[in-house]
Amino acid sequence: MRLNRLLASVALMAMTATSVTAQTPPPQSGDPVEVEIDQGVLRPLQIAVVNFTGQNGSDLGNVIRADLRRSGYFEPMDPASFVETGLTLANAPNFPQWTSIGAQAVLYGAVSPRPDGRNDFGFRLYDPIRQCQLASYQFTATPEQWRRIGHKIADLIYQRMTGETGLFDSRVVFVSESGTQLNRLSRLAISDQDGFNPVYLTQGDEIIMSPRFSLSDPNEITYVALGKDYSRIYLYNLSTGRRESLGEFDGQVLAPRFSNDGTKMAFSIIRGGNTDVYVMDLSSRQTRRLTTDPGIDTSPSFSPDNSQIVFTSDRSGSARLYVMRADGTGQRAIARGGGLYTAPNWSPRGDLIAFTKQGGGRFSTGVMRPDGSGERILSSSYFEEGPSWAPNGRYIMFARQSPGGDTRLWTVDLSGRVVSQAGYNGRGSDPAWSPLLDEQPSNLGGGGPDGCPT
């Protein structure tokens, strides 16, 4: 068992799962994305994504199609079925030719060079049934940024068609694992949300635990590093590469997490056989103890408004979820079901708390309301842990392991119907999803004489 899993759970989870769940092989870069849809019928929207004209236009179309398919709400059509060709941004599509093949939306665009060496990435999104334009927009970026522009375009389509904020222009930080069971190497890693462009931020000379993003700054992360004779909480700036320790603590540190405004850090310290939750003011580095119960209190997570903290405690005899005010007062249990609850994570929307649950010989990823009501299990398997929310609060990433197999990153949507393996094709655990890297445009240019009615 990985040392970071053992320490993070702090003996709260007796890992006795015996059930087996089917696993799919990890997708390789460029392979089709496989999405499992169960628990009812989901009819994805049939969208025709035409390959863009210009530099990397075909690859750009592939990125957009993969993002939309992975969401579970869209089914990009086979480009070989398209009847109309030669679409340009100057003209609307021939609507009957698209409705004849069953398209419910049509996206096309162009990549155009600029004198300064950058490219313009323009697109239009049409409703061929109502014969009107849903959105149009243009990004300007360097040619090397084409993949990220594809994610941003997919976000705008998702936003326009679902009414929800997108999630594709984001990154994931996680613990990358390699080597054998007896000689395992763990490194801090980061990739795009679809698994592309992985970068390893540490060399493998430390055991890495609990990487987390600052939700106020997607360039700032925190994590725990274990050496031969130390455990430290680090701040790491992705844009500068600067690493800074939060200081030396009398005891083993665990599970750091930023407040949502980035001004504080909550974490746990194992000291004298007891584990409690602490909070640090990051500007003054002053630390305050929030829990004093003799039980094991760990895995704190702030509410979006920073007024409350959810955490795990076994003070009642088994691991359950508790909520307290940010100053440590008003501690109360919220989880009502049987089983052991760990790894709580407050949704960025504030409406739900995600958690890992052990019971019935299986591990599950679930959600409940902040008062403990409305518990729902979204995914269940031989072993899974560590839920992390997508920036729009509609999807959760977690780590899943098959019996005797490797740990991989997976995602599930809030309906529990769309479950898929994340794009990173290596072994990974303890994922943390970043906020969107940029704010999305509010004006998508869907008006004008051919704009769709609101």
Side-chain angles (χ1 to χ4, degrees), residues 381-393:
S381 65
Y382 169 78
F383 182 84
E384 53 192 61
E385 67 173 349
S388 177
W389 291 95
N392 66 357

Side-chain angles (χ1 to χ4, degrees), residues 90-413:
N91 301 102
N94 184 318
F95 298 116
Q97 292 195 12
W98 294 99
T99 55
S100 69
I101 63 172
Q104 297 170 281
V106 180
L107 173 80
Y108 59 95
V111 183
S112 307
R114 294 168 57 98
D116 61 5
R118 295 182 297 167
N119 285 339
D120 287 331
F121 300 80
F123 74 88
R124 290 194 178 196
L125 178 67
Y126 276 89
D127 180 338
I129 299 172
R130 292 190 291 167
Q131 301 190 3
C132 55
Q133 181 176 262
L134 290 163
S136 66
Y137 202 79
Q138 178 175 291
F139 294 98
T140 300
T142 63
E144 296 76 19
Q145 292 178 299
W146 65 267
R147 175 172 287 278
R148 185 176 173 203
I149 296 300
H151 294 317
K152 295 175 77 68
I153 292 173
D155 274 333
L156 295 187
I157 298 167
Y158 183 96
Q159 175 182 322
R160 182 64 178 85
M161 302 303 292
T162 70
E164 299 277 351
T165 304
L167 67 150
F168 305 115
D169 183 30
S170 59
R171 294 185 287 185
V172 177
V173 65
F174 57 97
V175 178
S176 171
E177 301 175 351
S178 59
T180 65
Q181 187 73 24
L182 297 178
N183 187 24
R184 181 162 294 179
L185 188 71
S186 75
R187 292 181 292 175
L188 181 66
I190 189 170
S191 72
D192 297 345
Q193 54 78 27
D194 60 353
F196 280 79
N197 301 320
V199 176
Y200 303 98
L201 304 175
T202 60
Q203 302 302 312
D205 52 349
E206 298 171 310
I207 295 174
I208 304 301
M209 299 167 49
S210 307
R212 300 290 181 262
F213 274 98
S214 168
L215 298 186
S216 65
D217 182 356
N219 283 311
E220 195 79 18
I221 60 175
T222 185
Y223 65 96
V224 170
L226 300 181
K228 291 183 178 179
D229 56 359
Y230 65 85
S231 69
R232 294 180 185 138
I233 297 175
Y234 283 105
L235 299 179
Y236 189 103
N237 188 281
L238 295 169
S239 60
T240 65
R242 183 174 184 267
R243 186 172 91 155
E244 176 187 6
S245 171
L246 288 188
E248 299 297 328
F249 297 92
D250 179 18
Q252 165 73 52
V253 290
L254 294 172
R257 194 183 294 270
F258 289 97
S259 61
N260 289 277
D261 59 7
T263 64
K264 296 180 177 63
M265 183 82 70
F267 53 92
S268 292
I269 301 178
I270 305 175
R271 182 180 294 160
N274 194 33
T275 306
D276 282 300
V277 175
Y278 293 74
V279 66
M280 172 184 283
D281 183 287
L282 291 177
S283 60
S284 67
R285 300 298 170 92
Q286 294 297 309
T287 300
R288 179 181 179 186
R289 183 177 178 179
L290 298 185
T291 65
T292 57
D293 193 273
I296 299 170
D297 301 332
T298 188
S299 301
S301 174
F302 285 90
S303 62
D305 64 1
N306 303 304
S307 67
Q308 299 180 83
I309 295 174
V310 61
F311 63 101
T312 296
S313 177
D314 70 346
R315 62 184 63 180
S316 65
S318 62
R320 305 184 70 81
L321 302 188
Y322 287 74
V323 167
M324 61 182 168
R325 300 185 188 94
D327 62 1
T329 61
Q331 298 176 24
R332 64 192 187 281
I334 61 169
R336 298 182 173 89
L340 304 178
Y341 295 79
T342 59
N345 191 344
W346 216 305
S347 165
R349 299 156 65 106
D351 56 339
L352 294 170
I353 293 171
F355 55 86
T356 298
K357 182 177 181 179
Q358 181 196 358
R362 294 174 71 81
F363 287 77
S364 303
T365 298
V367 294
M368 66 175 67
R369 299 189 187 97
D371 63 0
S373 64
E375 179 178 327
R376 291 186 294 119
I377 297 301
L378 306 180
S379 171
S380 185
S381 65
Y382 169 78
F383 182 84
E384 53 192 61
E385 67 173 349
S388 177
W389 291 95
N392 66 357
R394 299 295 302 178
Y395 299 82
I396 294 171
M397 186 175 290
F398 57 96
R400 176 186 281 186
Q401 184 182 24
S402 59
D406 294 328
T407 305
R408 306 281 180 174
L409 304 183
W410 285 70
T411 60
V412 63
D413 79 325

